[in-house]
Amino acid sequence: MLGKKLVTAQKRGETRALCLGLGMVACSMMMYFFIGITIVPFYTKSVWTTETVCKVLKVNIKDKVLCSNSEGSEDEDIFPYPCLQVWVNLTASGQEVMLYETEDTLERNPKCSYVPGKSENSKEVKARIETIASNFKKYQTVPCYYDPEETQTNVILSRLYPPKGLLFAFLWPTLMFTGGCLIIVLVKISQYVSVLSAGQ
């Protein structure tokens, strides 16, 4: 009687462990799919792939411009902010080009090097832009990314999804997938050993 209870408990434990392993594998597949349709397209679409050093030439803060957070947004999503323009000398080609913060900055407003997030406090936005401008004036050279194919003549300060960031995004689903597969393999080994023990 006790042996039957132990066997039943063991089978229940194996079933739960197997469900856990299958659930981890399924979740990792969903994470892979989500990363594949969100992050990977942005990474492959970016043409600014080569890193170099840019020398700061001019830093200007022009009058306020209007910016919309997204295309087709409502009027309340449009807000004014000072337009920061940073011109640099691309050491790879010697050209004078405009520096943007990220790829998204160029899409949101090609006239400005920096586009702040929507903020109700215009003083904070102004102070942040002035701080960024003073940092550019202080550090005459900055690392930047440019397009080696020259389809884009401008440069960006940092990529939204660099190779390291893409690898880090794939790290967690890979660990979950490996853990799930390991649990399934261990359950199958346990079942195989139980069958051999019962046969003996």
Side-chain angles (χ1 to χ4, degrees), residues 147-162:
D147 177 16
E149 301 295 329
E150 295 185 355
T151 55
Q152 290 284 349
T153 56
N154 40 57
V155 295
I156 61 174
L157 184 63
S158 59
R159 300 181 66 181
L160 282 175
Y161 301 105

Side-chain angles (χ1 to χ4, degrees), residues 18-28 176:
L18 191 62
C19 290
L20 175 63
L22 292 174
M24 290 175 67
V25 171
C27 287
S28 64
M176 184 178 291

Side-chain angles (χ1 to χ4, degrees), residues 93-113:
S93 61
Q95 295 178 334
E96 182 179 336
V97 295
M98 192 167 177
L99 175 70
Y100 295 92
E101 184 185 14
T102 62
E103 301 96 326
D104 185 57
T105 307
L106 178 62
E107 292 183 3
R108 293 177 63 187
N109 191 349
K111 296 180 180 179
C112 303
S113 297

Side-chain angles (χ1 to χ4, degrees), residues 1-11:
M1 191 70 176
L2 182 61
K4 288 183 178 180
K5 289 183 178 179
L6 290 174
V7 170
T8 303
Q10 183 181 3
K11 287 183 177 179

Side-chain angles (χ1 to χ4, degrees), residues 46-188:
S46 178
V47 295
W48 296 271
T49 56
T50 305
E51 186 176 4
T52 186
V53 176
C54 290
K55 183 179 180 181
V56 179
L57 298 177
K58 292 182 293 185
V59 179
N60 299 323
I61 299 179
K62 295 195 171 183
D63 294 335
K64 289 185 177 181
V65 295
L66 293 177
C67 175
S68 174
N69 278 339
S70 59
E71 294 182 2
S73 60
E74 300 294 334
D75 290 340
E76 57 265 21
D77 291 333
I78 300 176
F79 62 98
Y81 62 92
C83 182
L84 173 66
Q85 292 183 340
V86 181
W87 294 90
V88 297
N89 185 1
L90 182 60
T91 55
S93 61
Q95 295 178 334
E96 182 179 336
V97 295
M98 192 167 177
L99 175 70
Y100 295 92
E101 184 185 14
T102 62
E103 301 96 326
D104 185 57
T105 307
L106 178 62
E107 292 183 3
R108 293 177 63 187
N109 191 349
K111 296 180 180 179
C112 303
S113 297
Y114 172 77
V115 176
K118 185 179 179 182
S119 175
E120 300 296 331
N121 193 339
S122 59
K123 292 182 179 179
E124 290 182 1
V125 174
K126 183 179 179 181
R128 190 182 310 119
I129 290 176
E130 289 178 351
T131 302
I132 295 172
S134 63
N135 287 335
F136 275 116
K137 293 176 182 178
K138 181 178 179 182
Y139 303 101
Q140 291 297 312
T141 57
V142 293
C144 58
Y145 292 88
Y146 72 98
D147 177 16
E149 301 295 329
E150 295 185 355
T151 55
Q152 290 284 349
T153 56
N154 40 57
V155 295
I156 61 174
L157 184 63
S158 59
R159 300 181 66 181
L160 282 175
Y161 301 105
K164 290 182 179 179
L166 191 66
L167 290 176
F168 185 77
F170 278 106
L171 175 63
W172 297 112
T174 301
L175 291 176
M176 184 178 291
F177 178 81
T178 305
C181 290
L182 185 61
I183 291 174
I184 294 172
V185 170
L186 290 176
V187 170
K188 292 300 181 181

